[in-house]
Amino acid sequence: MIMAEIQISIKGDKSRNFPAGTTAAEAVKALCSSKERKRTLAVRVGDNLLDLSMPLQHDAELETITSDSAEGLNLLRHSAAHVMAEAVLDIFGKDIKVAIGPATADGFYYDFDRKEPFTPDDFEAIEAKVRKIVGANEPFVRKTLPKAEAVEYFKERDEIYKVELLEEIEDETVSLYSQGNFVDLCRGPHIPHTGFLRAFKLIRIAGAYWRGDEKRPMLQRLYGTAFFNPKDLKKYLHRIEEAKKRDHRKLGKQLGLFTINDQVGPGLILWQPKGALIRKLIEDYWKDEHYRNGYELLYTPHIAKRELWATSGHLDFYVEDMFSPMDVEGVSYQLKPMNCPFHLAIYQSRKRSYREFPIRWCELGTVYRFERTGALQGLMRVRGFTQDDAHIFCLPNQLEDEILNILDLNLHILKTFGFDQYEIFLSTRPEKFVGSEENWQKSTDALKLALEKKGLAYEIDPGEGVFYGPKIDIKIKDVLGRSWQCSTIQVDFNLPERFKIGYTGSDGAEHQPIMIHRALMGSLERFFGVLIEHYGGAFPLWLAPAQARILNITDAQLDFTDKIYHELRQAGIRVEKDIRNEKLNFKIREAQLEKIPYMLIIGDKEVETNSVTVRLRNGKNLPAMAVADFAEMIHRESRIGTESQS
């Protein structure tokens, strides 16, 4: 029943009575300061975001969504996608079909169906048209109508993608938004008018299959970004340029770290010698840290009988991400997408006693998952990768301590590699899950309690747990402030049940252990890609594939160069030599481009004094020193976790 008069408050502070039908904008004007009104873009009522133009019919407590909030920026970017679509249609004609245009973490995009390809040369015209629309302060107008009417509206305009989306909506009424002469199917809300869009930039063009299905039409996706403040846009564009310089695909090729070969197959990484050496350093450190923390190392096969994945539940919940099975002597085998069933098989190899727990097993296990070709991206999204996997089997009263120990090890390893900024998410039960709700609650509570005991801030990510249990996800932040998903910790009551594993308790009866899955780096491939971009290829001394390069000035120093080269290798220094008949400055420049931490210059003076002149990759010079002193300095500075002065 609509009330004649309603009570509206702002965050529970100020409240007053208004006539029913008062808009959110009118309530904000009456209840908020002038400064707050100018910053307000929309309001929240309960769980719903509403446009300022929305009439209010019932008592409500409003929360203002302002331009200095993350939600406000998201509204701006969603609105910017609509404005860009309006500009594109105005410039290139009505024969273009529009698809979807959401906001993203860094901006927005809109998908278009157009015969002619867009090019970067089109950006200037589109941006000029956007500026004109912004200058017109076009209001965003919301209209609700029966779904059938909306279907007819878009059918008349041959907007096939909007019609398809509408036909999947179950609601009887839908909302359309318009600004200027552009009308779009949209839930909203939006900013009040286009005048808020003062800092806008198109970024790039990409192809995107409609609905992510490679059997559907390939659309053209225009990416852009938007900010309220032009200074923020300038900072973002600078960050993009820095990111381009640090692109792991570019640096991987430039530094000879890895390659991908079409003859081998997309998404399959070939580690070149320098990349393989860095991988060895990572693996050796990982193994040593796990040994110190009570883990035992396992190795398992790359394939298994398909029935193993039926037992684990992966065929029910994960089959779309698995490669096709292979026939071996009439038996169906499967490339492994996970390592966990193999660890359970090792657990089953003999009876277990409660006295053995906790059991901590780790493996650098290579797995294979089907990714569509269009989704592959360098080292970040691949088809074959090595997980830094571990599984802990523990008693119920050990669960909390084990999660705390994992968190300690996790954060220690991330810090060693230079990551001490991160976001933490606790993912809860999804719609499709296995196991009892009681065990899910126990698992979730255990993860939550561990995070709280460690004093770690986290966000709840509802419904994003895996099918067998809740999880903690840690997203590390690189030097540019970008987030990367790496670490995960998952409690699992389900797989122990499915594999019927148990142990003999102190009471002589059989009990079921709790299983914890965890990966600290996620995958070596992805983590290596993040490391390349984080350091821009200039790895800290302990990770550098070549810690030093010897550069002779003339052929007169060849014998001394060779002598020093062998002495340093014997001392355990990763050293190279450049004895080409090239000018010294040329050799120095190449060494700097290859991010070599130290260059050892050898001339007649160094031969005479049995010393080396040391140059850092940043261009600074150190005093001449004896070879033994240089080797000692390298060993001191390259201790794991020690930052090189270069």
Side-chain angles (χ1 to χ4, degrees), residues 282-351:
I282 294 172
E283 290 185 357
D284 289 348
Y285 166 69
W286 185 90
K287 291 174 184 177
D288 290 344
E289 285 300 306
H290 280 74
Y291 181 78
R292 277 193 280 270
N293 281 271
Y295 287 78
E296 296 174 296
L297 189 64
L298 303 180
Y299 291 100
T300 59
H302 292 243
I303 64 171
K305 290 180 178 179
R306 194 164 168 83
E307 65 186 48
L308 179 71
W309 311 106
T311 301
S312 68
H314 287 93
L315 289 186
D316 295 326
F317 293 91
Y318 207 77
V319 69
E320 291 181 1
D321 296 297
M322 297 165 68
F323 279 98
S324 301
M326 63 188 85
D327 183 272
V328 181
E329 297 179 333
V331 178
S332 186
Y333 278 76
Q334 181 74 51
L335 275 171
K336 67 173 177 178
M338 305 280 187
N339 298 302
C340 35
F342 294 91
H343 293 195
L344 285 153
I346 293 173
Y347 184 99
Q348 291 174 322
S349 63
R350 64 174 176 82
K351 288 184 68 65

Coordinates of all heavy atoms in Angstrom, one line a residue, residues 282-351:
I282 N 63.7 -20.9 -7.9 CA 62.4 -20.8 -7.2 C 62.0 -22.2 -6.6 O 61.6 -22.3 -5.4 CB 61.3 -20.4 -8.2 CG1 61.5 -18.9 -8.7 CG2 59.9 -20.5 -7.6 CD1 60.6 -18.5 -9.8
E283 N 62.2 -23.2 -7.4 CA 61.9 -24.6 -6.9 C 62.8 -25.0 -5.7 O 62.3 -25.6 -4.8 CB 62.0 -25.6 -8.0 CG 60.9 -25.4 -9.1 CD 61.0 -26.5 -10.1 OE1 61.9 -27.4 -10.1 OE2 60.1 -26.6 -11.0
D284 N 64.1 -24.7 -5.8 CA 65.0 -25.1 -4.7 C 64.6 -24.4 -3.5 O 64.6 -25.0 -2.4 CB 66.4 -24.8 -5.1 CG 67.0 -25.7 -6.2 OD1 66.3 -26.7 -6.5 OD2 68.1 -25.4 -6.8
Y285 N 64.3 -23.1 -3.6 CA 63.9 -22.3 -2.4 C 62.6 -22.9 -1.8 O 62.5 -23.1 -0.6 CB 63.7 -20.8 -2.7 CG 63.0 -20.0 -1.7 CD1 63.6 -19.8 -0.4 CD2 61.7 -19.6 -1.9 CE1 62.9 -19.1 0.5 CE2 61.0 -18.8 -0.9 CZ 61.6 -18.6 0.3 OH 61.0 -17.9 1.2
W286 N 61.6 -23.2 -2.7 CA 60.3 -23.7 -2.3 C 60.5 -25.0 -1.5 O 59.9 -25.2 -0.5 CB 59.5 -23.8 -3.5 CG 58.1 -24.3 -3.3 CD1 57.0 -23.4 -3.1 CD2 57.5 -25.6 -3.3 NE1 55.8 -24.2 -3.0 CE2 56.1 -25.5 -3.1 CE3 58.1 -26.9 -3.4 CZ2 55.3 -26.6 -3.0 CZ3 57.3 -28.0 -3.4 CH2 55.9 -27.9 -3.2
K287 N 61.3 -25.9 -2.1 CA 61.5 -27.2 -1.5 C 62.2 -27.1 -0.1 O 61.8 -27.7 0.9 CB 62.3 -28.1 -2.4 CG 61.6 -28.6 -3.6 CD 62.5 -29.3 -4.5 CE 61.8 -29.7 -5.8 NZ 62.8 -30.4 -6.8
D288 N 63.2 -26.2 0.0 CA 63.9 -26.0 1.3 C 63.0 -25.5 2.3 O 63.0 -25.9 3.5 CB 65.1 -25.1 1.1 CG 66.2 -25.7 0.2 OD1 66.2 -26.9 0.1 OD2 67.1 -24.9 -0.3
E289 N 62.1 -24.5 2.0 CA 61.2 -23.9 2.9 C 60.2 -24.9 3.4 O 59.8 -24.9 4.6 CB 60.5 -22.7 2.3 CG 61.4 -21.4 2.2 CD 61.9 -21.0 3.6 OE1 61.1 -20.8 4.5 OE2 63.2 -20.9 3.7
H290 N 59.7 -25.7 2.5 CA 58.8 -26.8 2.9 C 59.4 -27.8 3.8 O 58.7 -28.3 4.7 CB 58.1 -27.4 1.6 CG 57.0 -26.5 1.0 ND1 57.3 -25.4 0.3 CD2 55.7 -26.6 1.1 CE1 56.1 -24.8 0.0 NE2 55.2 -25.6 0.4
Y291 N 60.6 -28.2 3.5 CA 61.3 -29.2 4.4 C 61.4 -28.6 5.8 O 61.2 -29.3 6.8 CB 62.7 -29.5 3.8 CG 63.4 -30.5 4.6 CD1 63.1 -31.9 4.5 CD2 64.4 -30.1 5.5 CE1 63.8 -32.8 5.3 CE2 65.1 -31.0 6.3 CZ 64.8 -32.4 6.2 OH 65.5 -33.3 6.9
R292 N 61.8 -27.3 5.9 CA 61.9 -26.7 7.2 C 60.6 -26.6 7.9 O 60.6 -26.5 9.1 CB 62.5 -25.3 7.0 CG 64.0 -25.2 6.9 CD 64.6 -23.8 7.1 NE 64.4 -23.0 5.8 CZ 65.4 -23.0 4.9 NH1 66.5 -23.7 5.0 NH2 65.2 -22.3 3.8
N293 N 59.5 -26.6 7.2 CA 58.2 -26.5 7.8 C 57.5 -27.8 7.9 O 56.2 -27.9 8.0 CB 57.4 -25.5 7.0 CG 57.7 -24.0 7.4 OD1 57.2 -23.5 8.3 ND2 58.7 -23.5 6.6
G294 N 58.2 -28.9 7.8 CA 57.6 -30.2 8.1 C 56.9 -30.9 7.0 O 56.1 -31.8 7.3
Y295 N 57.1 -30.5 5.8 CA 56.5 -31.1 4.6 C 57.4 -32.2 4.0 O 58.6 -32.2 4.1 CB 56.2 -30.1 3.5 CG 55.1 -29.2 3.8 CD1 55.2 -28.1 4.6 CD2 53.8 -29.4 3.2 CE1 54.2 -27.2 4.9 CE2 52.8 -28.5 3.5 CZ 53.0 -27.4 4.3 OH 52.0 -26.5 4.6
E296 N 56.8 -33.2 3.4 CA 57.5 -34.3 2.6 C 57.1 -34.1 1.2 O 56.0 -33.8 0.8 CB 57.1 -35.6 3.2 CG 57.5 -35.9 4.6 CD 57.0 -37.2 5.1 OE1 55.8 -37.4 5.2 OE2 57.9 -38.1 5.4
L297 N 58.1 -34.4 0.3 CA 57.9 -34.2 -1.2 C 57.4 -35.4 -1.8 O 57.8 -36.5 -1.5 CB 59.3 -33.8 -1.8 CG 59.3 -33.3 -3.2 CD1 58.6 -32.0 -3.4 CD2 60.8 -33.2 -3.7
L298 N 56.4 -35.2 -2.8 CA 55.9 -36.3 -3.6 C 56.1 -36.0 -5.0 O 56.3 -34.8 -5.5 CB 54.4 -36.4 -3.3 CG 53.8 -36.6 -1.9 CD1 52.3 -36.7 -1.9 CD2 54.4 -37.9 -1.3
Y299 N 56.0 -37.1 -5.9 CA 56.0 -37.0 -7.3 C 54.9 -37.9 -7.8 O 54.8 -39.0 -7.3 CB 57.3 -37.4 -8.0 CG 58.4 -36.4 -7.7 CD1 59.4 -36.7 -6.8 CD2 58.5 -35.2 -8.5 CE1 60.4 -35.8 -6.5 CE2 59.6 -34.3 -8.3 CZ 60.5 -34.6 -7.3 OH 61.6 -33.8 -7.1
T300 N 54.0 -37.4 -8.7 CA 52.9 -38.3 -9.2 C 52.9 -38.2 -10.7 O 53.4 -37.3 -11.3 CB 51.6 -37.8 -8.6 OG1 51.3 -36.5 -8.9 CG2 51.6 -38.0 -7.1
P301 N 52.2 -39.2 -11.4 CA 52.1 -39.2 -12.8 C 51.3 -38.1 -13.4 O 50.6 -37.3 -12.7 CB 51.4 -40.6 -13.1 CG 51.5 -41.3 -11.9 CD 51.5 -40.3 -10.8
H302 N 51.4 -37.9 -14.8 CA 50.7 -36.9 -15.5 C 49.3 -37.4 -16.0 O 48.5 -36.6 -16.4 CB 51.5 -36.4 -16.7 CG 52.7 -35.6 -16.3 ND1 52.9 -34.3 -16.7 CD2 53.8 -36.0 -15.6 CE1 54.1 -33.9 -16.2 NE2 54.6 -34.9 -15.5
I303 N 49.1 -38.7 -16.0 CA 47.8 -39.2 -16.4 C 47.3 -40.3 -15.4 O 48.1 -40.8 -14.5 CB 47.9 -39.9 -17.8 CG1 48.8 -41.1 -17.8 CG2 48.3 -38.9 -18.8 CD1 48.8 -41.9 -19.1
A304 N 46.0 -40.6 -15.4 CA 45.5 -41.6 -14.6 C 44.2 -42.1 -15.2 O 43.6 -41.5 -16.2 CB 45.1 -41.0 -13.2
K305 N 43.7 -43.3 -14.8 CA 42.5 -43.8 -15.3 C 41.4 -42.8 -15.1 O 41.3 -42.2 -14.0 CB 42.2 -45.2 -14.6 CG 43.1 -46.3 -15.0 CD 42.7 -47.6 -14.3 CE 43.5 -48.7 -14.7 NZ 43.1 -50.0 -13.9
R306 N 40.5 -42.7 -16.0 CA 39.4 -41.8 -15.9 C 38.5 -42.0 -14.7 O 37.9 -41.1 -14.1 CB 38.5 -41.8 -17.2 CG 37.6 -40.6 -17.4 CD 37.1 -40.6 -18.8 NE 36.0 -39.7 -19.0 CZ 36.1 -38.4 -19.2 NH1 37.3 -37.8 -19.2 NH2 35.0 -37.6 -19.5
E307 N 38.4 -43.3 -14.3 CA 37.6 -43.6 -13.1 C 38.0 -42.9 -11.8 O 37.3 -42.6 -10.9 CB 37.5 -45.1 -12.9 CG 38.8 -45.7 -12.5 CD 38.7 -47.2 -12.4 OE1 38.2 -47.9 -13.3 OE2 39.2 -47.8 -11.4
L308 N 39.4 -42.5 -11.8 CA 39.9 -41.8 -10.6 C 39.1 -40.4 -10.5 O 38.8 -40.0 -9.4 CB 41.4 -41.6 -10.8 CG 42.0 -40.8 -9.6 CD1 42.1 -41.6 -8.4 CD2 43.4 -40.3 -10.0
W309 N 38.9 -39.8 -11.7 CA 38.2 -38.5 -11.7 C 36.7 -38.6 -11.4 O 36.1 -37.6 -11.0 CB 38.6 -37.8 -13.0 CG 40.0 -37.8 -13.2 CD1 40.7 -38.6 -14.2 CD2 41.1 -37.1 -12.5 NE1 42.0 -38.4 -14.1 CE2 42.3 -37.5 -13.1 CE3 41.1 -36.2 -11.5 CZ2 43.5 -37.0 -12.6 CZ3 42.3 -35.8 -11.0 CH2 43.5 -36.2 -11.6
A310 N 36.2 -39.8 -11.7 CA 34.8 -40.0 -11.3 C 34.7 -40.1 -9.8 O 33.8 -39.5 -9.1 CB 34.3 -41.3 -11.9
T311 N 35.7 -40.8 -9.1 CA 35.7 -40.9 -7.7 C 35.9 -39.6 -7.0 O 35.2 -39.2 -6.0 CB 36.8 -41.9 -7.2 OG1 36.6 -43.2 -7.8 CG2 36.8 -42.0 -5.7
S312 N 36.7 -38.8 -7.6 CA 37.0 -37.5 -7.0 C 35.9 -36.5 -7.2 O 35.8 -35.4 -6.5 CB 38.3 -36.9 -7.6 OG 38.2 -36.5 -8.9
G313 N 35.0 -36.7 -8.2 CA 33.9 -35.8 -8.5 C 34.3 -34.8 -9.5 O 33.4 -34.0 -9.9
H314 N 35.5 -34.8 -10.1 CA 35.8 -33.9 -11.1 C 35.0 -34.1 -12.4 O 34.8 -33.1 -13.1 CB 37.3 -33.9 -11.4 CG 38.2 -33.3 -10.3 ND1 38.7 -34.1 -9.3 CD2 38.6 -32.1 -10.1 CE1 39.4 -33.3 -8.5 NE2 39.3 -32.1 -8.9
L315 N 34.7 -35.3 -12.7 CA 33.8 -35.5 -13.9 C 32.4 -34.9 -13.8 O 31.8 -34.6 -14.8 CB 33.7 -37.0 -14.2 CG 35.0 -37.7 -14.7 CD1 34.7 -39.2 -15.1 CD2 35.6 -37.0 -15.9
D316 N 32.0 -34.8 -12.5 CA 30.7 -34.2 -12.3 C 30.7 -32.7 -12.3 O 29.8 -32.0 -12.7 CB 30.1 -34.7 -11.0 CG 29.8 -36.2 -11.0 OD1 29.5 -36.7 -12.0 OD2 30.0 -36.8 -9.9
F317 N 31.8 -32.1 -11.8 CA 31.9 -30.7 -11.5 C 32.9 -29.9 -12.4 O 32.9 -28.7 -12.4 CB 32.2 -30.4 -10.1 CG 31.1 -30.9 -9.1 CD1 31.1 -32.1 -8.6 CD2 30.1 -30.0 -8.8 CE1 30.0 -32.5 -7.8 CE2 29.0 -30.4 -8.0 CZ 29.0 -31.7 -7.5
Y318 N 33.8 -30.6 -13.0 CA 35.0 -30.0 -13.6 C 35.3 -30.4 -15.1 O 36.3 -30.0 -15.7 CB 36.2 -30.2 -12.8 CG 37.3 -29.1 -12.8 CD1 37.1 -27.9 -12.2 CD2 38.4 -29.3 -13.6 CE1 38.1 -26.9 -12.3 CE2 39.4 -28.3 -13.7 CZ 39.2 -27.1 -13.0 OH 40.2 -26.2 -13.1
V319 N 34.4 -31.3 -15.6 CA 34.7 -31.9 -16.9 C 34.9 -31.0 -18.0 O 35.7 -31.2 -18.9 CB 33.6 -33.0 -17.2 CG1 32.3 -32.3 -17.6 CG2 34.1 -33.9 -18.3
E320 N 34.3 -29.8 -18.0 CA 34.4 -28.9 -19.1 C 35.8 -28.2 -19.2 O 36.2 -27.7 -20.2 CB 33.4 -27.7 -19.0 CG 31.9 -28.2 -19.3 CD 30.9 -27.1 -19.2 OE1 31.4 -26.0 -18.9 OE2 29.7 -27.4 -19.4
D321 N 36.5 -28.3 -18.1 CA 37.9 -27.8 -18.0 C 38.9 -28.8 -18.2 O 40.1 -28.5 -18.0 CB 38.1 -27.0 -16.7 CG 37.1 -25.8 -16.5 OD1 37.3 -24.9 -17.3 OD2 36.3 -25.9 -15.6
M322 N 38.5 -30.1 -18.5 CA 39.5 -31.2 -18.7 C 39.7 -31.5 -20.1 O 38.7 -31.3 -20.9 CB 39.0 -32.4 -17.9 CG 38.9 -32.2 -16.4 SD 37.9 -33.5 -15.5 CE 39.0 -34.9 -15.7
F323 N 40.8 -32.0 -20.5 CA 41.1 -32.4 -21.9 C 40.3 -33.7 -22.1 O 39.9 -34.4 -21.2 CB 42.6 -32.6 -22.1 CG 43.3 -31.3 -22.4 CD1 44.0 -30.6 -21.4 CD2 43.3 -30.8 -23.7 CE1 44.6 -29.5 -21.7 CE2 43.9 -29.6 -24.0 CZ 44.6 -28.9 -22.9
S324 N 40.1 -34.0 -23.4 CA 39.4 -35.2 -23.8 C 40.2 -36.4 -23.3 O 41.4 -36.4 -23.3 CB 39.3 -35.3 -25.3 OG 38.5 -34.2 -25.8
P325 N 39.5 -37.5 -23.0 CA 40.2 -38.7 -22.5 C 40.9 -39.4 -23.7 O 40.7 -39.2 -24.8 CB 39.0 -39.6 -22.0 CG 37.8 -39.1 -22.7 CD 38.0 -37.7 -23.0
M326 N 41.9 -40.3 -23.3 CA 42.6 -41.1 -24.3 C 42.4 -42.6 -24.0 O 42.2 -43.0 -22.8 CB 44.1 -40.7 -24.2 CG 44.8 -41.0 -22.9 SD 46.5 -40.4 -22.8 CE 46.1 -38.7 -22.3
D327 N 42.4 -43.4 -25.0 CA 42.2 -44.8 -24.9 C 43.6 -45.5 -24.8 O 44.5 -45.3 -25.7 CB 41.5 -45.3 -26.1 CG 41.2 -46.8 -25.9 OD1 42.0 -47.6 -26.4 OD2 40.1 -47.2 -25.4
V328 N 43.8 -46.3 -23.7 CA 45.0 -47.0 -23.6 C 44.6 -48.5 -23.3 O 44.1 -48.8 -22.3 CB 45.9 -46.5 -22.4 CG1 47.2 -47.3 -22.3 CG2 46.2 -45.0 -22.6
E329 N 44.8 -49.3 -24.4 CA 44.5 -50.7 -24.3 C 43.1 -51.0 -23.8 O 42.8 -51.8 -23.0 CB 45.5 -51.5 -23.4 CG 46.9 -51.4 -23.9 CD 47.9 -52.1 -23.0 OE1 47.6 -52.2 -21.7 OE2 48.9 -52.6 -23.5
G330 N 42.2 -50.1 -24.4 CA 40.8 -50.3 -24.1 C 40.3 -49.6 -22.8 O 39.2 -49.7 -22.4
V331 N 41.2 -49.0 -22.1 CA 40.9 -48.3 -20.8 C 41.0 -46.8 -21.0 O 42.0 -46.3 -21.6 CB 41.9 -48.8 -19.7 CG1 41.5 -48.0 -18.4 CG2 41.8 -50.3 -19.5
S332 N 40.1 -46.1 -20.5 CA 40.1 -44.6 -20.7 C 41.0 -44.0 -19.6 O 40.8 -44.2 -18.4 CB 38.6 -44.1 -20.5 OG 38.6 -42.7 -20.8
Y333 N 41.9 -43.2 -20.1 CA 42.8 -42.4 -19.3 C 42.6 -40.9 -19.5 O 42.1 -40.5 -20.5 CB 44.3 -42.8 -19.6 CG 44.8 -44.0 -18.9 CD1 44.4 -45.3 -19.4 CD2 45.6 -44.0 -17.8 CE1 44.9 -46.5 -18.8 CE2 46.1 -45.2 -17.2 CZ 45.7 -46.4 -17.7 OH 46.1 -47.5 -17.1
Q334 N 43.1 -40.2 -18.5 CA 42.8 -38.7 -18.5 C 44.1 -38.0 -18.1 O 44.8 -38.3 -17.1 CB 41.7 -38.4 -17.5 CG 41.3 -37.0 -17.4 CD 40.5 -36.5 -18.6 OE1 39.5 -37.2 -18.9 NE2 40.9 -35.5 -19.2
L335 N 44.4 -36.9 -18.8 CA 45.5 -36.0 -18.4 C 45.0 -35.3 -17.1 O 43.8 -34.9 -17.0 CB 45.7 -34.9 -19.4 CG 46.7 -35.2 -20.5 CD1 46.6 -34.0 -21.6 CD2 48.1 -35.3 -20.0
K336 N 45.9 -35.2 -16.1 CA 45.4 -34.7 -14.8 C 45.2 -33.2 -14.8 O 46.0 -32.4 -15.2 CB 46.3 -35.1 -13.7 CG 47.7 -34.5 -13.7 CD 48.5 -34.9 -12.4 CE 49.9 -34.3 -12.4 NZ 50.6 -34.6 -11.2
P337 N 44.0 -32.8 -14.3 CA 43.8 -31.3 -14.1 C 44.1 -30.9 -12.7 O 44.2 -29.8 -12.3 CB 42.3 -31.2 -14.3 CG 41.7 -32.5 -13.9 CD 42.7 -33.6 -14.1
M338 N 44.3 -31.9 -11.8 CA 44.5 -31.7 -10.4 C 45.5 -32.7 -9.9 O 45.6 -33.8 -10.4 CB 43.3 -31.8 -9.5 CG 42.1 -30.9 -9.9 SD 42.3 -29.2 -9.4 CE 40.8 -28.5 -9.8
N339 N 46.2 -32.4 -8.8 CA 47.1 -33.4 -8.2 C 46.5 -34.1 -7.0 O 47.0 -35.2 -6.6 CB 48.4 -32.7 -7.6 CG 49.2 -32.0 -8.7 OD1 49.6 -32.6 -9.7 ND2 49.3 -30.7 -8.6
C340 N 45.4 -33.6 -6.4 CA 44.9 -34.1 -5.1 C 44.5 -35.6 -5.2 O 44.8 -36.3 -4.2 CB 43.8 -33.2 -4.6 SG 42.7 -32.5 -5.8
P341 N 43.9 -36.1 -6.2 CA 43.5 -37.5 -6.2 C 44.7 -38.5 -6.0 O 44.6 -39.5 -5.4 CB 42.8 -37.8 -7.5 CG 42.2 -36.4 -7.9 CD 43.3 -35.5 -7.4
F342 N 45.9 -38.1 -6.6 CA 47.1 -38.9 -6.5 C 47.6 -38.9 -5.1 O 48.0 -39.9 -4.6 CB 48.2 -38.3 -7.4 CG 47.8 -38.4 -8.9 CD1 47.2 -37.4 -9.5 CD2 48.2 -39.5 -9.6 CE1 46.9 -37.5 -10.9 CE2 47.9 -39.6 -11.0 CZ 47.2 -38.6 -11.6
H343 N 47.5 -37.8 -4.4 CA 47.9 -37.7 -3.0 C 47.0 -38.6 -2.1 O 47.5 -39.2 -1.2 CB 48.0 -36.3 -2.5 CG 49.0 -35.5 -3.2 ND1 49.4 -34.2 -2.7 CD2 49.7 -35.7 -4.3 CE1 50.3 -33.7 -3.5 NE2 50.5 -34.6 -4.5
L344 N 45.7 -38.6 -2.5 CA 44.8 -39.5 -1.7 C 45.2 -41.0 -2.0 O 45.1 -41.8 -1.1 CB 43.4 -39.2 -2.1 CG 42.8 -37.9 -1.5 CD1 41.8 -37.3 -2.4 CD2 42.3 -38.1 -0.1
A345 N 45.6 -41.3 -3.2 CA 46.0 -42.6 -3.5 C 47.2 -43.0 -2.7 O 47.3 -44.2 -2.3 CB 46.2 -42.8 -5.0
I346 N 48.1 -42.1 -2.5 CA 49.3 -42.4 -1.7 C 48.9 -42.6 -0.3 O 49.4 -43.5 0.4 CB 50.3 -41.3 -1.8 CG1 50.9 -41.2 -3.3 CG2 51.5 -41.4 -0.8 CD1 51.8 -40.1 -3.6
Y347 N 48.0 -41.8 0.2 CA 47.5 -42.0 1.6 C 46.9 -43.4 1.8 O 47.1 -44.0 2.8 CB 46.4 -40.9 1.9 CG 45.9 -41.0 3.3 CD1 46.4 -40.1 4.2 CD2 44.9 -41.9 3.7 CE1 45.9 -40.1 5.5 CE2 44.4 -41.9 5.0 CZ 44.9 -41.0 5.9 OH 44.5 -41.0 7.2
Q348 N 46.2 -43.9 0.7 CA 45.6 -45.2 0.8 C 46.5 -46.4 0.8 O 46.1 -47.5 0.9 CB 44.6 -45.4 -0.4 CG 43.3 -44.5 -0.3 CD 42.5 -44.6 -1.5 OE1 43.0 -44.7 -2.7 NE2 41.2 -44.5 -1.4
S349 N 47.8 -46.1 0.6 CA 48.8 -47.2 0.4 C 49.0 -48.0 1.6 O 49.5 -49.1 1.6 CB 50.1 -46.6 -0.1 OG 50.7 -45.7 0.9
R350 N 48.6 -47.5 2.8 CA 48.7 -48.3 4.0 C 47.8 -47.7 5.1 O 47.3 -46.6 4.9 CB 50.2 -48.3 4.5 CG 50.7 -47.0 4.9 CD 52.1 -47.2 5.6 NE 52.7 -45.9 5.9 CZ 52.5 -45.2 7.0 NH1 51.6 -45.6 7.9 NH2 53.1 -44.0 7.2
K351 N 47.6 -48.4 6.2 CA 46.8 -47.9 7.3 C 47.5 -46.8 8.0 O 48.8 -46.7 8.1 CB 46.5 -49.0 8.3 CG 45.5 -50.1 7.8 CD 45.1 -51.1 8.8 CE 44.3 -50.5 10.0 NZ 43.0 -50.0 9.5

